[in-house]
Amino acid sequence: MTPGATAPVRLADIVSGLGGELHGDDQRVITRIASLESADETSLSFLAQARFKPLLQATRAGCVLVRADMLPLVPEGASAIVTPDPYLYYARLTRWWLARKRQSDAVGVHGSAVIGQGVVIHPTATVGAFAVIGDRVVIGEHVVIGSHTEVGSDAVVGSATRIASRVAFGHDCRIGARGTIHSGAVIGADGFGFAPFEGRWEKIEQLGTVVIGDDVDVGANTCIDRGALDDTVLSDGVKLDNLIQIAHNVRIGANTAMAGCVGVAGSARIGAGCTFGGAAMILGHLEIGDNVHISAASVVMSSILKPGQYSGVFPIDDNGSWEKNAATLRQLHTLRTRLRALEKKITP
């Protein structure tokens, strides 16, 4: 089967499920979602940006998602679904598509899974092979626990959340509904807490937990440490990429997103609607306000309360000032050469 393909679906079924204005044959059958370049007559594709118009005109896709102003560019013979935001429609289509594909997943607890005492598992949930579920865990409806995943005692997994294989979800931790945790993630490991004493380090037990809201995505090999006393908290809609470190007692506001390799040190407070580019670093005990956007590889060394775009490591500044300074730095060698030449002229 072609990658990404699934059971055939009619365009009429897609529009019925997701809306949009269909132009063309509503009985046309689609078997996969594809890019404009790789699509064939049984594929559905989309045009999200006007600069890709040449790809739209050349595509072999059976159906495309487009805005109304792009409809005249759809190749003859192809169908189109007109929508104000094709990229958003595409995002919702992927979820609708995958949900159909997952309907055939086995429901229930695999015979090799280890289930503790007092566990509550909803009849619609799935627990995979060799998973380990600790005592008193609560697993909601339509939850999927992947193979070789461990869910610690007294943890709670909300409805329709999917935890992939080989995840460690620690004791007392909680995640809400419709979340996703990808393979290799560790939720609820001890935070980095040690007291110095006579040249060595005394362990501080981490007594808090991790509380994750609804609709949160956690990428592969991302680590979220439990709190030292208070909890580490991720609010609804937070999106974390792969290989991110969230230290103990961090609090992240709703719908904040972080790209790969971001690091957040302990007790930082991050507002809602923020974005962090890849490998950005946030020092501990800082406060980041709502709608703050940090460019990739920037180091945040002081609190930022004003919304806006911030960049740089020398040190971080508002983006406009940083760009001016960066432009000046590009001329630094030339300025140095000119200064030396002037010094030679005026030196007796």
Side-chain angles (χ1 to χ4, degrees):
M1 181 178 287
T2 305
T6 187
V9 58
R10 299 175 308 150
L11 289 178
D13 298 327
I14 294 174
V15 173
S16 175
L18 298 172
E21 181 182 311
L22 178 62
H23 293 256
D25 181 9
D26 65 355
Q27 298 303 305
R28 183 189 289 271
V29 171
I30 297 297
T31 62
R32 69 186 185 113
I33 305 170
S35 65
L36 288 168
E37 300 99 314
S38 65
D40 59 22
E41 59 275 5
T42 65
S43 303
L44 187 149
S45 191
F46 66 97
L47 177 71
Q49 300 180 46
R51 63 193 179 97
F52 295 120
K53 287 191 293 186
L55 296 179
L56 172 62
Q57 293 171 298
T59 189
R60 296 174 55 238
C63 181
V64 287
L65 306 174
V66 293
R67 297 195 314 265
D69 60 324
M70 294 291 113
L71 184 59
L73 301 181
V74 174
E76 185 178 354
S79 298
I81 298 174
V82 174
T83 176
D85 189 340
Y87 196 64
L88 177 62
Y89 196 109
Y90 157 70
R92 291 171 175 168
L93 175 62
T94 60
R95 300 200 302 272
W96 182 87
W97 194 268
L98 195 55
R100 291 177 63 253
K101 200 170 186 177
R102 285 172 171 166
Q103 285 174 357
S104 59
D105 289 353
V107 173
V109 178
H110 193 276
S112 63
V114 178
I115 309 299
Q117 301 295 315
V119 175
V120 177
I121 301 176
H122 195 276
T124 61
T126 299
V127 178
F130 301 103
V132 177
I133 310 298
D135 295 341
R136 299 172 299 280
V137 168
V138 177
I139 296 175
E141 60 182 338
H142 302 297
V143 165
V144 175
I145 306 294
S147 62
H148 298 274
T149 281
E150 180 178 0
V151 179
S153 60
D154 299 295
V156 177
V157 182
S159 62
T161 285
R162 301 181 67 89
I163 301 180
S165 61
R166 296 178 175 84
V167 169
F169 193 81
H171 65 87
D172 297 313
C173 294
R174 304 194 297 277
I175 184 170
R178 300 174 302 279
T180 301
I181 303 177
H182 289 280
S183 295
V186 178
I187 313 299
D190 278 356
F192 193 65
F194 299 90
F197 175 68
E198 296 181 349
R200 56 190 176 85
W201 300 99
E202 292 278 354
K203 168 74 174 174
I204 300 172
E205 293 295 344
Q206 305 293 287
L207 305 179
T209 185
V210 176
V211 178
I212 301 174
D214 297 338
D215 302 299
V216 172
D217 281 54
V218 178
N221 294 320
T222 283
C223 296
I224 304 172
D225 292 344
R226 65 177 58 248
L229 292 172
D230 298 328
D231 298 332
T232 302
V233 178
L234 276 64
S235 300
D236 294 349
V238 167
K239 307 298 181 187
L240 302 183
D241 197 359
N242 304 332
L243 295 166
I244 287 174
Q245 162 65 16
I246 306 297
H248 58 185
N249 300 106
V250 168
R251 302 180 76 91
I252 302 177
N255 300 309
T256 284
M258 297 181 177
C261 298
V262 166
V264 184
S267 298
R269 299 290 187 267
I270 296 172
C274 299
T275 59
F276 295 80
M281 295 288 125
I282 299 90
L283 273 59
H285 299 275
L286 300 184
E287 183 177 355
I288 308 296
D290 296 345
N291 300 307
V292 169
H293 306 286
I294 306 299
S295 299
S298 296
V299 180
V300 182
M301 295 175 282
S302 59
S303 293
I304 301 173
L305 302 180
K306 182 180 178 181
Q309 180 81 34
Y310 295 82
S311 305
V313 295
F314 54 90
I316 194 167
D317 203 347
D318 71 271
N319 198 62
S321 298
W322 182 86
E323 286 181 343
K324 291 176 183 177
N325 290 331
T328 302
L329 283 174
R330 291 194 194 100
Q331 306 298 321
L332 191 59
H333 182 73
T334 301
L335 291 171
R336 177 175 176 270
T337 302
R338 292 171 61 188
L339 180 60
R340 281 191 167 185
L342 287 172
E343 288 176 336
K344 287 180 180 179
K345 286 183 179 181
I346 63 175
T347 301

